[in-house]
Each structure stands twice: as C-alpha cells, then as structure tokens.
C-alpha cells in the first residue's frame, strides 16, 4: 500500500486524531504552509511595491511581465484545463457563486434551477437573490442513493422551462458526495440555451479536471479543499462571452477595465493563498497525483463496503458515482434528524477523537468519509467500532 498513516507527518495534523474530514475545510501540508510564509516574508520587505506593482497594477502588467496574480492564475489554469485569461481567483466557492448571482438580473417570473444536492450555503444565496428579485427557485430531485447518471440528466432537463434564467449544478455534491455527470448536465442546459454554473468546490485534487471540456458558462471551485492550497483560495473559469457582464461581489478599482484586471484587485487582501496555490499543485504532483487519486478512491470505496457490512445498512451508491469521499448510511438506532447527526458528530469527536462529517438526509443519519493520503484501513475500522460503541 503506497500511502497511509506513514504520510501523516507531511501535514501538521494531531497524530492522536483520526481525521476523516479532509473535504470540509482541507488540511494544509507543512511544505505549503512554509511556502505561504515565504510569500508573506517577501511582501513585508516592500509591501506597497509588492501589492501595487508586482501583484497587481493599474496598467494590468507588472514592472517585468505578467503580474504575480496572473502568473499564479496560469499555474492553476494549466492544472484544471482552462485558459489563464478565463480564470480569476476568489476567496471561496461561495464568493464565486455570489458573483454570478449578483451580476445577473432576475425579474418576477424568472426561475433559477438547482438540484436537491446543492450545498446549503449556496441555496441560501440563491433564495436571497430570488427574494430580492421576485424570481422563483425550482429544485430538481436527483436519484439517490441508487444514483443513475442518465436519470439525473433527465430529471434536470425536465426542470428547465422557458423561464429558467440560470441552472446551478454540483460536480461533486457536499453531503451525498455524489459525482454528477457534469458534462451531460451542461450539455442539456446549453441545448436549451440556458446559462449553467457548476459548483466544483470538491473537484480540484479529487478528480482529474478539464474545465474546458465541461464547457459550462461558469465553473467555480475551491483550491483549499483537495488541491492543498491554504485557505482562502478558490477560482472561477468563465466563458469569454460571459466575462463582460460578470463582476465580483465587491466592486473596486478594476470595474470595466477587463475581466481579470477587475477580479485581481477587490481591495487590500492577503494574496498569499492564491500565490501559494501552485505550490499545493506541485505537492500533489510530487506525491504522484494519479496514484494518490486512485488510493483515495479505493479507500473511500473500502469504507463504503466495510462500514455498511459492519453497521448492516444498505450500500446503494455505485462505486462509479464517488471520488475520494463517500456517504454511508448509519443504523436506524442513530436517529433520523439533524440533532441526531450533530449528537453523533460530537460523540465521535469528543469521545473518540474522530473528525468526520455527519448529516441527516432522507430520514437517516449519514457519515461522509473523506479519504486522503494520510488515512488507511485502520482509520475506517476505528470509525466503524466507535459508532457502535
Ligand atoms: C459542494 C460545495 N459547494 C460549496 C461549498 C462552499 O465552499 P466555501 O465555504 O469554500 O465557499 C462547499 C463547502 O463545503 C461544498 O461542499
């Protein structure tokens, strides 16, 4: 087995903890944290020069060649299969999705279509926009847990009407961890002439990603979850024809000076999470990114089989519908509602030092296991026993 607990020292994690929740806020490798500190040290040697000449400038280019924001964007773009000129950094996926929602104009009668796997914080943002504009939110119900990609496409397609102004779909869903057939979902939206926004928060670092091949109008994703970048680091790739009318939620000097120039400066911020993102990518590549994805997927699938066996619960999610995370149904005795999920989450943490995402869905409590290089079978076995204990 190439990876496992012997890799734990590459991260600053407490070795006495069983950390099965890489997906929630990521874990920054020690090497990447050091690279971020090196950027901070460099900034403080000459802060104004760094921020207003090297990092970003009114003219859009630094004293010598592309700005540091653009250089970092080029590094990330090569990794995710996008053109650097179509890619901008944002703090997190929530910010990117808000940029799209707030840049569009909705009127009473318009519809925003989402699925019932949408991340809760983004559903809140969609409802907020709908409340202000009089638009309606439609929710397409996805087949789950017996996931069927063709049926998912059919259900989404059935939710599109003449009034649909935007479709928001997940690439990997937050709670269910289902990998959606995103290229097919995008294709049906485009065939109906509706702009589509993909939430790829969990994708970079978990699946091989080719954003251009997906062809969405907007693709937003986090680098601070699986791509090993420091928080807060995310990006959005925007189709050229959508760039002119898209603005960051915070408008600043760059308004109407061009897409990348406008997003690269939205007030004074710590730019080191984006500048360090290429180092997170190098870290993945040095680990052997393909082998790492294979290991994480196999471990997640092992967790699904082992835990459902031990807990005597059904395993209906097909292996093809997961990446490095899987949600496993717990026994009925654990309960069925959100307070039951919170109780289990806290019992696992405070009684057993196990960190894992727990949620209630479809009348049962589910545990979402994230598999990462530093985990192995012993972590899964510990979780299995602790839940029953
Ligand atoms: C699918 C999905 N979308 C969006 C988000 C929001 O990400 P952020 O908090 O970085 O904005 C999350 C966070 O876990 C998520 O899982």
């Amino acid at each position: 087995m190439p990876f496992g607990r012997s890799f734990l020292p590459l991260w600053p994690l407490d070795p006495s903890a069983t950390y099965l929740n890489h997906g929630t806020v990521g874990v920054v490798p020690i090497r990447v944290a050091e690279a971020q500190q090196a950027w901070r040290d460099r900034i403080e040697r000459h802060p104004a020069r760094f921020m207003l000449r090297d990092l970003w400038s009114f003219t859009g280019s630094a004293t010598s060649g592309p700005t540091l924001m653009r250089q970092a964007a080029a590094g990330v773009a090569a990794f995710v299969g996008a053109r650097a000129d179509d890619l901008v950094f944002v703090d997190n996926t929530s910010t990117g999705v808000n940029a799209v929602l707030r840049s569009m104009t909705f009127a009473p009668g318009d519809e925003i279509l989402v699925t019932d796997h949408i991340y809760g914080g983004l559903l809140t943002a969609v409802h907020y926009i709908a409340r202000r504009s009089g638009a309606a939110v439609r929710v397409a119900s996805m087949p789950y847990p017996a996931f069927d990609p063709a049926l998912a496409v059919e259900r989404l397609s059935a939710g599109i009407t003449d009034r649909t102004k935007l479709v928001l779909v997940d690439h990997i869903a937050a709670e269910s961890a289902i990998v959606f057939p995103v290229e097919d979902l995008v294709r049906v939206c485009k065939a109906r002439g509706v702009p589509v926004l993909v939430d790829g928060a969990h994708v970079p670092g978990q699946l091989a990603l080719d954003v251009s091949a997906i062809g969405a109008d907007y693709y937003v994703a986090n680098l601070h979850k699986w791509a090993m970048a420091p928080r807060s680091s995310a990006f959005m790739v925007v189709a050229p024809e959508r760039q002119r009318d898209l603005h960051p939620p915070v408008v600043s000097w760059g308004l109407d000076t061009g897409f990348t120039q406008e997003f690269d400066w939205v007030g004074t911020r710590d730019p080191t999470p984006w500048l360090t993102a290429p180092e997170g990518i190098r870290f993945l590549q040095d680990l052997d990114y393909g082998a790492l994805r294979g290991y994480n997927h196999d471990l997640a699938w092992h967790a699904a089989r082992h835990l459902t066996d031990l807990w005597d619960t059904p395993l209906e999610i097909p292996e093809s519908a997961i990446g490095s995370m899987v949600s496993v149904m717990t026994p009925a005795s654990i309960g069925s509602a959100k307070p039951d999920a919170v109780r289990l989450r806290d019992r696992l943490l405070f009684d057993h030092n196990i960190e894992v995402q727990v949620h209630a869905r479809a009348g049962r409590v589910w545990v979402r296991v994230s598999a990462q290089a530093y985990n192995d079978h012993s972590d899964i076995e510990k979780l299995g026993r602790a839940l029953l204990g």
Side-chain angles (χ1 to χ4, degrees), residues 15-64:
S16 68
T18 300
Y19 206 85
L20 289 165
N21 197 5
H22 193 98
T24 289
V25 291
V27 187
V28 185
I30 291 170
R31 171 180 143 184
V32 175
E34 286 171 354
Q36 181 179 28
Q37 188 55 44
W39 277 114
R40 288 190 166 130
D41 293 342
R42 184 170 154 190
I43 293 172
E44 297 316 322
R45 287 173 65 81
H46 229 313
R49 174 196 162 140
F50 187 97
M51 299 296 279
L52 297 173
R53 271 78 130 210
D54 300 340
L55 181 75
W56 180 89
S57 78
F58 282 100
T59 60
S61 60
T63 8
S64 54

Side-chain angles (χ1 to χ4, degrees), residues 28 33 53 80 85 107 117 131 139 143 156 175 179 187 212 235 238 251 265 283 292 296 314 323 360 385 388:
V28 185
R53 271 78 130 210
V80 304
D85 286 350
H117 287 239
R131 183 170 86 191
V139 181
L156 188 83
E175 287 185 347
V179 178
R187 197 173 314 120
S212 306
F235 69 86
V238 181
V251 171
W265 185 274
F283 176 85
L292 175 70
N296 290 349
R385 286 192 304 271
L388 297 175

Side-chain angles (χ1 to χ4, degrees), residues 263-324:
F263 273 85
D264 283 356
W265 185 274
V266 294
T268 308
R269 300 177 293 175
D270 177 4
T272 60
W274 306 303
L275 297 178
T276 313
E279 180 64 14
I281 292 166
R282 278 191 292 275
F283 176 85
L284 287 174
Q285 288 163 340
D286 289 349
L287 281 185
D288 186 343
Y289 183 41
L292 175 70
R293 279 185 280 123
Y295 176 82
N296 290 349
H297 172 83
D298 290 348
L299 185 58
W301 187 241
H302 166 77
R305 285 188 292 117
H306 175 77
L307 297 174
T308 49
D309 255 12
L310 189 68
W311 298 342
D312 196 19
T313 53
L315 172 54
E316 292 174 84
I317 298 169
E319 183 179 359
S320 56
I322 66 156
S324 307

Side-chain angles (χ1 to χ4, degrees), residues 201-232:
H202 283 278
V203 176
Q206 191 174 157
L207 301 178
L209 179 58
D210 185 352
V211 174
S212 306
I214 293 169
D217 297 84
Y218 313 94
Y219 190 99
V220 185
N222 281 332
L223 296 162
H224 58 222
K225 287 186 186 286
W226 295 86
M228 304 297 168
R231 288 169 293 273
S232 310

Side-chain angles (χ1 to χ4, degrees), residues 37 88 128 138 161 167 176 194 196 218 244 252 299 310 319 322 337-338 353 373:
Q37 188 55 44
V88 288
Y128 174 69
R138 275 176 79 98
T161 73
V167 178
S176 66
V194 181
V196 55
Y218 313 94
R244 202 180 49 114
S252 181
L299 185 58
L310 189 68
E319 183 179 359
I322 66 156
K338 196 167 178 179
N353 206 1

